Amino acid sequence: MNIPPFLFTQTHHTQTVELNVRSKKAIDEATSLTCTLYDPNNQAIESITINNSHTFKHTFIIENPQLWWPIGYGEQPLYTVDVELYTGNQSIDHTSYSIGLRTVKLNRDNDGDASKFEFIINDTPVFIKGTNMIIEDAILTQSRRYSLTAQIKDCVRANINCIRVWEAPTTRQTFSLICAINTVF
């Protein structure tokens, strides 16, 4: 038995963020699942355990959240959600998710001359310096090895803060984590 995939959503309020966590599938009746949220300084905020065959669904309340910002706009603090699956007292699977708390909106208001196309991160307009990326594995004739982390770091060195990906590079979770760590959204 493995940990089912998890989905995360964020609801932002003035001084708090609700981090909504849910599993896509139920866990087996003979297992229990523990989910712990850590702040960017690795201090536990809250831990919850469910037993039996329920899907996991919980809302963590984060007081005075540290927000994630793209390169050039601030820091990139990441919260961690650790998930552990148990049979009895024995851990049988473990995974971690890193999450940057942020709001992202697309402003398409009509400003008179034409419609805007402006990204708003944490209520701040962000000048997008973006690129398109086609992952090399998606090109059938390519066979060389590459480092996704190195490619994203190259983008950061070029002051790129947004990447549009044409093919799934690996799991969405892995790609998002590499981007979050390297200040790209």
Side-chain angles (χ1 to χ4, degrees):
M1 174 91 189
N2 292 332
I3 294 173
F6 273 59
L7 299 173
F8 299 89
T9 59
Q10 302 173 24
T11 305
H12 290 250
H13 304 286
T14 305
Q15 294 296 319
T16 62
V17 171
E18 296 175 11
L19 180 61
N20 306 295
V21 182
R22 69 181 174 91
S23 60
K24 287 185 174 183
K25 302 187 285 189
I27 61 170
D28 188 278
E29 286 185 22
T31 60
S32 63
L33 188 137
T34 299
C35 187
T36 306
L37 173 66
Y38 294 92
D39 71 12
N41 298 317
N42 207 29
Q43 299 296 312
I45 295 174
E46 183 182 353
S47 187
I48 186 161
T49 300
I50 63 161
N51 298 305
N52 302 323
S53 60
H54 298 95
T55 55
F56 183 89
K57 185 175 182 182
H58 183 69
T59 299
F60 292 107
I61 305 297
I62 302 168
E63 302 285 338
N64 300 310
Q66 297 178 48
L67 299 180
W68 181 98
W69 293 90
I71 188 170
Y73 288 84
E75 300 297 316
Q76 297 76 39
L78 296 174
Y79 288 77
T80 303
V81 176
D82 275 343
V83 183
E84 194 129 16
L85 186 65
Y86 294 91
T87 297
N89 290 330
Q90 181 179 356
S91 174
I92 59 173
D93 196 11
H94 174 266
T95 192
S96 290
Y97 297 89
S98 294
I99 299 166
L101 301 178
R102 62 187 172 267
T103 60
V104 179
K105 298 175 189 166
L106 177 59
N107 179 6
R108 294 296 312 256
D109 292 343
N110 188 341
D111 64 0
D113 295 336
S115 291
K116 289 184 176 182
F117 196 89
E118 172 183 59
F119 281 96
I120 310 292
I121 309 293
N122 301 327
D123 297 324
T124 301
V126 171
F127 183 75
I128 297 298
K129 298 169 274 184
T131 188
N132 293 306
M133 181 183 282
I134 299 174
I135 304 305
E136 292 178 11
D137 284 352
I139 303 171
L140 296 176
T141 59
Q142 295 280 343
S143 61
R144 67 180 190 193
R145 301 202 37 94
Y146 68 97
S147 165
L148 185 58
T149 301
Q151 287 180 326
I152 292 172
K153 285 183 178 185
D154 286 344
C155 289
V156 170
R157 281 191 289 278
N159 291 312
I160 290 170
N161 62 10
C162 185
I163 299 173
R164 179 169 66 172
V165 179
W166 287 85
E167 290 291 329
T170 178
T171 66
R172 179 185 294 183
Q173 175 188 349
T174 301
F175 182 76
S176 296
L177 174 60
I178 294 169
C179 285
I181 289 169
N182 290 285
T183 70
V184 176
F185 74 100

